Amino acid sequence: MADDVDEVDDGSRELHELLHERLLEGLPPAALLTDPQVTASYATDMASFCAAGTPAAVVLPRTVEQVQHVLRTAHALRVPVVPQGARTGLSGAANASDGCIVLSLVKMDRILEIDTVDRIAVVEPGVVNAVLSRAVAERGLHYPPDPSSWEQCTIGGNIGTAAGGLCCVKYGVTAEYVLGLDVVLADGRLLQTGRRTAKGVAGYDLTRLFVGSEGSLGVVVRAVLALRPAPPRQLALAAEFPSAAAACAAVCAVMEAGLTPSLLELMDRTTVRAVNALGKMGLPETTEALLLAAFDTPHAPEDLAAVGALCTAAGASAVVPAEDAAESELLLQARRMALPALEALRPATMIDDVCVPRTRLAEMLDGTAAIARTHDLLIGVCAHAGDGNTHPIVCFDPADEDETRRARASFEEIMALGLELGGTITGEHGVGVLKKEWLARELGPVGLEMQRAVKHAFDPEGLLNPGKLF
Amino acid sequence: MADDVDEVDDGSRELHELLHERLLEGLPPAALLTDPQVTASYATDMASFCAAGTPAAVVLPRTVEQVQHVLRTAHALRVPVVPQGARTGLSGAANASDGCIVLSLVKMDRILEIDTVDRIAVVEPGVVNAVLSRAVAERGLHYPPDPSSWEQCTIGGNIGTAAGGLCCVKYGVTAEYVLGLDVVLADGRLLQTGRRTAKGVAGYDLTRLFVGSEGSLGVVVRAVLALRPAPPRQLALAAEFPSAAAACAAVCAVMEAGLTPSLLELMDRTTVRAVNALGKMGLPETTEALLLAAFDTPHAPEDLAAVGALCTAAGASAVVPAEDAAESELLLQARRMALPALEALRPATMIDDVCVPRTRLAEMLDGTAAIARTHDLLIGVCAHAGDGNTHPIVCFDPADEDETRRARASFEEIMALGLELGGTITGEHGVGVLKKEWLARELGPVGLEMQRAVKHAFDPEGLLNPGKLF
């Protein structure tokens, strides 16, 4: 037995050495990390409860040619490749598998072009979302997708996970802003998809296929992104409700009235209290649900007044419009603080991401509260309410075995509830490792088979981010 | 030789009889058309210069189960299937191939659901675009995609071709409005893709893959469509320019200024005169290019004033804002009349659909005019100028062999020019039969290979709409 283990170790060590040698044929030494202590730090993203393996190497290429060399090498040696951005993902999609090459795109971080007439940006995948947002804002333009991690996360990661954010109720998700891609395929060939024109229907929409594919079909090395004109600054209001159901009724009324808020967010009582505890934000502690609405229209005060009236009609106990853009920004900061505030309550959190039709939002929130009670757990919910996209955040102590088991069970029940209500197991965080089994339940056997068929068409050897999605 | 021919005929006749018999096992007799004179009338869509074969049968199913039966039968007998909507397509994508089953979805024309809170419609594929648009308008909602053929074309056809229209400069194309699909696969199995929620990233985006796939990956039998709140009625203006280049400069200035018109259309002098000749519209005959802009914002008059000022700065000789919504509608009618008006000039037309970055629009228009001069042809251009999407319409007489040869040559040169300018061979009409060779040129060998790999993943026997796209 001992001999066998040694033999395996030796074989693996030899393969690693060969791999490193081959990688260096097309990479500068500084672009290859092999120290196990260093490479181990690249093993995971920010998801809880997701297994990760030990990488054989981490590479940090700076050019398309270097990425092609890495993929060709991996293909020749049949070594799996795990693409990574800033590793802020919440589903384990960027977790290393044993013996893989971690392909970090963070050094490919140039904004190659911003065109104010064609309203496009051309970027490398490692550009940080906030960096791009600020660069286009300086030119009078707007790149809407704004995931919570926007100060850290990269455009490549946003494309891989089809990231959303607070803007989606008006502006949609990352997918709507990706016009064209350069992608290095599993065998190292370069594929160009899409276009830099406003429209185009030349062949199957492979661009969109790569968005949300979690690095399992190819490695994005360049993206043409659509931009919008910069809107006026948002003006917000907060409304307090005596129940989550009343807040959800207000959400439905707002959407049915044909209003288009730039943001429509809900925080439950647990979240409101956590935010107050962390940030001294002075939110109303006695409210059962706090709704935040904002408009970035030229006539925002009138739009907010209409929302305020609908909130009151739905039973709001108080409606507080912000005085100006600065006060509005404070409200949004409170919302952005929700996740860190809940994380501060207990040693660990587990974030779910179920999206239901907004007509079913009240049932989703009430059902989640019931699940928390059944399992005696602290679950705070913040939701992109206008989208029906809830983030129940289960707070627990991993050192407490029983609580951990209950946390895990509640997470599964929340996903089951989402599917029951005609929703999806993931509105914007993706599947990764965390929700593989649930993807199969959502898609059913025919759906899953066609997903696998697409995977096989792009990566017949199964080398790109294996073990993710399905 | 004569014997051989008889034998082939007999074999084909026997196969047809077997096919008809099998089809009737799962279809009511009225849903199967076999009279060659009748079936021949289903052989083509509205494209010029596209070969079409002779169908073995036309089926008109009314239920998903009937479609599944047709596909299972076709799969068992290895008979190709050509899905059809209203056959208003302009690329030959709905043309029959020899011995195929034409699968017309026009009898599956029910609107199954309109939800004003979730802002979705669930429809069968045969619903006519205008019927849906009116039905949702009655509920205070808006389904934006508005191809010129909207009074005839079906939602299934719109999905198959990823159809556009006048609305796209603000509202995008059909693809942006398709949330989920039920699709019958080549072997008759039913696949459900996507969702009815506002967001969702569960697995690869197969929904979007089917949009624009021209019936070559599966048959759409149900669609969940996103709707928007009904906007205010559009207010329009017309601006006359001394050159196409000046009009294009105005288009660029409007987009660079961060304005978002609901429509930004250009007609060249040939088109303006043709519209006047057909419709007595009283458009300015001496103008070299007429630009139409419209806004459906609450502050449309101010937005139009801003556009007017930019047009004047770009050299417009006259800027004429419509007095009211009714006068605006007249301007839009003039634009909608462009294609029939040009069709009335000569016995036949050939419509191109090249989309370029809007920064290159002037070069595209000037280049097209030069091609018309070189070949001594009448080519009228109308363009979705805000999108950079031009429709050069070549008018010719098919009885004139030389003119036909020149028309064909000009068509090819226009596509080559589009690619040279960083554009695409098709902004919204699709590839079909018409642009197969050009698709290969636009995508290159790696792109084409991956397109074929996707096709193979969904339709390994190549039975769905064979000979289209590539």
Side-chain angles (χ1 to χ4, degrees):
Chain A
M1 275 297 280
D3 279 344
D4 281 346
V5 171
D6 280 348
E7 244 183 85
V8 171
D9 277 4
D10 283 344
S12 147
R13 200 178 310 134
E14 272 168 31
L15 178 60
H16 286 195
E17 275 165 23
L18 176 65
L19 175 65
H20 298 163
E21 196 179 290
R22 292 280 182 86
L23 285 170
L24 285 172
E25 287 169 13
L27 285 176
L32 175 67
L33 309 179
T34 58
D35 177 343
Q37 281 192 307
V38 175
T39 58
S41 70
Y42 285 80
T44 60
D45 62 19
M46 286 178 62
S48 306
F49 287 104
C50 291
T54 304
V58 173
V59 294
L60 294 143
R62 287 180 183 271
T63 68
V64 173
E65 293 68 28
Q66 288 174 2
V67 175
Q68 291 189 272
H69 172 73
V70 171
L71 272 290
R72 273 194 294 262
T73 304
H75 193 254
L77 300 177
R78 297 289 185 270
V79 173
V81 174
V82 177
Q84 285 185 350
R87 295 187 290 117
T88 52
L90 292 165
S91 70
N95 281 11
S97 44
D98 272 329
C100 78
I101 300 172
V102 162
L103 173 51
S104 171
L105 282 310
V106 295
K107 300 284 189 195
M108 292 179 70
D109 62 353
R110 290 177 304 162
I111 297 173
L112 301 170
E113 190 184 341
I114 295 172
D115 189 308
T116 55
V117 174
D118 288 329
R119 290 186 186 164
I120 57 170
V122 183
V123 303
E124 292 185 332
V127 172
V128 169
N129 180 300
V131 171
L132 177 66
S133 295
R134 288 189 193 111
V136 305
E138 277 173 24
R139 308 288 298 275
L141 290 165
H142 182 43
Y143 178 69
D146 60 348
S148 299
S149 57
W150 73 307
E151 291 281 6
Q152 288 84 44
C153 65
T154 63
I155 297 298
N158 294 171
I159 291 171
T161 58
L166 303 188
C167 74
C168 306
V169 64
K170 178 165 182 178
Y171 293 105
V173 296
T174 298
E176 336 260 5
Y177 297 90
V178 185
L179 296 177
L181 294 172
D182 284 6
V183 178
V184 177
L185 297 174
D187 60 8
R189 286 181 303 166
L190 188 64
L191 170 71
Q192 296 194 304
T193 74
R195 56 190 207 271
R196 50 182 291 146
T197 53
K199 285 152 84 180
V201 291
Y204 304 135
D205 188 348
L206 301 188
T207 305
R208 190 70 170 239
L209 196 57
F210 282 104
V211 179
S213 66
E214 302 187 350
S216 69
L217 299 178
V219 179
V220 171
V221 290
R222 208 181 68 112
V224 183
L225 303 174
L227 304 172
R228 288 178 167 248
R233 287 186 70 183
Q234 296 187 102
L235 210 59
L237 70 66
E240 301 170 35
F241 288 88
S243 68
C248 294
V251 167
C252 290
V254 166
M255 300 309 282
E256 186 156 40
L259 292 159
T260 306
S262 49
L263 171 153
L264 191 54
E265 295 287 317
L266 184 149
M267 293 191 275
D268 71 354
R269 187 166 75 153
T270 303
T271 307
V272 167
R273 291 182 173 203
V275 168
N276 276 345
L278 183 72
K280 318 273 179 284
M281 300 299 290
L283 298 177
E285 295 250 335
T286 55
T287 189
E288 285 298 317
L290 189 72
L291 201 63
L292 301 180
F295 286 85
D296 60 3
T297 50
H299 39 81
E302 296 99 277
D303 288 330
L304 281 180
V307 167
L310 292 167
C311 286
T312 302
S317 53
V319 173
V320 187
E323 295 274 318
D324 52 27
E327 211 176 293
S328 299
E329 187 48 41
L330 275 180
L331 282 175
L332 304 196
Q333 272 179 31
R335 167 60 187 84
R336 286 191 186 276
M337 210 181 281
L339 180 55
L342 288 162
E343 282 173 346
L345 295 183
R346 300 282 289 157
T349 55
M350 193 165 190
I351 305 168
D352 210 330
D353 170 45
V354 166
C355 190
V356 296
R358 60 178 78 90
T359 40
R360 315 300 297 271
L361 189 58
E363 290 164 84
M364 188 67 213
L365 291 178
D366 287 346
T368 302
I371 291 166
R373 279 194 304 274
T374 305
H375 292 287
D376 189 22
L377 283 165
L378 187 68
I379 303 182
V381 180
C382 53
H384 309 308
D387 295 324
N389 190 184
T390 69
H391 294 309
I393 297 161
V394 187
C395 308
F396 67 102
D397 182 356
D400 181 334
E401 212 171 282
D402 185 64
E403 193 180 50
T404 303
R405 187 192 50 71
R406 285 179 283 128
R408 182 89 220 185
S410 74
F411 191 76
E412 310 279 322
E413 288 174 25
I414 288 166
M415 278 188 283
L417 176 62
L419 289 186
E420 255 177 65
L421 295 174
T424 171
I425 56 156
T426 174
E428 56 182 11
H429 292 173
V431 175
V433 176
L434 189 63
K435 297 188 172 180
K436 279 168 66 170
E437 287 161 33
W438 283 94
L439 184 72
R441 286 167 76 161
E442 177 164 339
L443 298 182
V446 178
L448 199 64
E449 186 179 326
M450 296 323 295
Q451 295 270 327
R452 286 187 201 277
V454 169
K455 166 73 174 176
H456 189 262
F458 283 87
D459 180 21
E461 317 284 346
L463 295 175
L464 286 172
N465 213 6
K468 310 298 160 60
L469 280 163
F470 36 71
Chain B
M1 275 298 279
D3 279 345
D4 282 345
V5 170
D6 280 349
E7 244 184 82
V8 170
D9 277 4
D10 282 345
S12 147
R13 202 178 310 134
E14 272 167 30
L15 179 61
H16 286 197
E17 275 164 23
L18 176 64
L19 176 65
H20 298 163
E21 196 177 291
R22 292 280 182 88
L23 286 169
L24 286 174
E25 288 169 13
L27 286 176
L32 174 67
L33 309 179
T34 58
D35 176 343
Q37 281 191 308
V38 175
T39 60
S41 71
Y42 285 80
T44 61
D45 63 18
M46 287 178 61
S48 305
F49 287 104
C50 292
T54 305
V58 173
V59 293
L60 294 143
R62 287 180 183 271
T63 68
V64 173
E65 292 68 28
Q66 289 174 2
V67 175
Q68 290 189 273
H69 173 73
V70 171
L71 271 291
R72 273 195 293 263
T73 305
H75 192 253
L77 299 177
R78 295 291 184 270
V79 174
V81 174
V82 177
Q84 285 185 350
R87 295 187 289 117
T88 52
L90 292 164
S91 70
N95 281 11
S97 44
D98 271 330
C100 78
I101 300 171
V102 163
L103 172 52
S104 172
L105 282 309
V106 294
K107 300 284 189 197
M108 291 179 70
D109 62 353
R110 290 178 303 162
I111 298 174
L112 302 171
E113 188 185 341
I114 295 172
D115 189 307
T116 55
V117 174
D118 288 330
R119 290 184 186 165
I120 56 171
V122 183
V123 304
E124 291 186 332
V127 172
V128 169
N129 180 299
V131 170
L132 176 66
S133 295
R134 289 189 193 110
V136 304
E138 278 173 24
R139 308 287 300 275
L141 290 165
H142 181 43
Y143 179 69
D146 60 346
S148 299
S149 57
W150 73 308
E151 291 281 6
Q152 289 83 44
C153 64
T154 63
I155 297 297
N158 294 173
I159 292 172
T161 58
L166 304 188
C167 74
C168 305
V169 64
K170 178 166 182 176
Y171 293 105
V173 296
T174 298
E176 337 261 5
Y177 296 90
V178 186
L179 296 178
L181 294 172
D182 285 5
V183 178
V184 177
L185 296 174
D187 60 7
R189 286 180 303 166
L190 187 65
L191 170 71
Q192 296 194 305
T193 75
R195 57 190 205 271
R196 49 183 291 148
T197 52
K199 286 151 84 180
V201 290
Y204 304 136
D205 189 348
L206 301 188
T207 305
R208 188 71 171 242
L209 195 57
F210 283 103
V211 178
S213 66
E214 301 185 353
S216 69
L217 300 179
V219 178
V220 170
V221 289
R222 208 181 69 113
V224 182
L225 303 174
L227 305 173
R228 288 177 168 250
R233 286 187 69 183
Q234 296 187 101
L235 209 59
L237 70 67
E240 302 170 34
F241 289 87
S243 69
C248 293
V251 167
C252 290
V254 166
M255 299 310 281
E256 186 157 39
L259 292 158
T260 306
S262 49
L263 171 155
L264 190 53
E265 295 286 316
L266 184 150
M267 293 191 276
D268 72 353
R269 189 166 74 153
T270 304
T271 307
V272 167
R273 291 182 172 203
V275 168
N276 275 345
L278 184 72
K280 317 274 179 282
M281 300 298 290
L283 297 177
E285 294 250 338
T286 55
T287 190
E288 285 298 316
L290 190 72
L291 200 62
L292 300 181
F295 287 85
D296 59 5
T297 50
H299 39 83
E302 296 100 278
D303 288 330
L304 282 179
V307 167
L310 292 168
C311 287
T312 303
S317 54
V319 173
V320 187
E323 295 274 317
D324 51 26
E327 210 177 294
S328 298
E329 187 48 41
L330 274 180
L331 281 175
L332 305 196
Q333 272 179 32
R335 166 59 186 87
R336 288 189 185 276
M337 210 181 280
L339 180 55
L342 288 162
E343 282 173 346
L345 295 183
R346 300 281 290 158
T349 54
M350 191 165 193
I351 304 168
D352 210 329
D353 171 44
V354 166
C355 189
V356 297
R358 60 178 77 91
T359 41
R360 314 299 298 269
L361 188 59
E363 291 164 84
M364 187 68 213
L365 291 177
D366 287 347
T368 302
I371 290 166
R373 281 193 303 274
T374 305
H375 291 287
D376 190 20
L377 283 165
L378 187 67
I379 302 182
V381 180
C382 52
H384 309 308
D387 295 324
N389 190 184
T390 69
H391 293 311
I393 297 161
V394 186
C395 308
F396 66 102
D397 181 357
D400 181 336
E401 212 171 284
D402 186 62
E403 192 178 51
T404 303
R405 187 191 50 72
R406 285 180 282 126
R408 181 89 221 184
S410 74
F411 191 76
E412 310 278 323
E413 287 174 26
I414 287 166
M415 278 187 283
L417 176 61
L419 289 185
E420 255 177 65
L421 295 174
T424 172
I425 56 157
T426 174
E428 56 182 9
H429 292 174
V431 174
V433 177
L434 189 63
K435 297 188 172 181
K436 276 168 67 169
E437 287 162 33
W438 283 95
L439 183 72
R441 287 169 73 163
E442 177 166 339
L443 299 183
V446 178
L448 200 63
E449 187 180 326
M450 296 323 297
Q451 296 269 326
R452 286 187 201 277
V454 169
K455 166 74 173 172
H456 189 262
F458 283 87
D459 179 21
E461 318 283 347
L463 295 174
L464 286 172
N465 214 5
K468 311 298 161 58
L469 280 162
F470 36 73

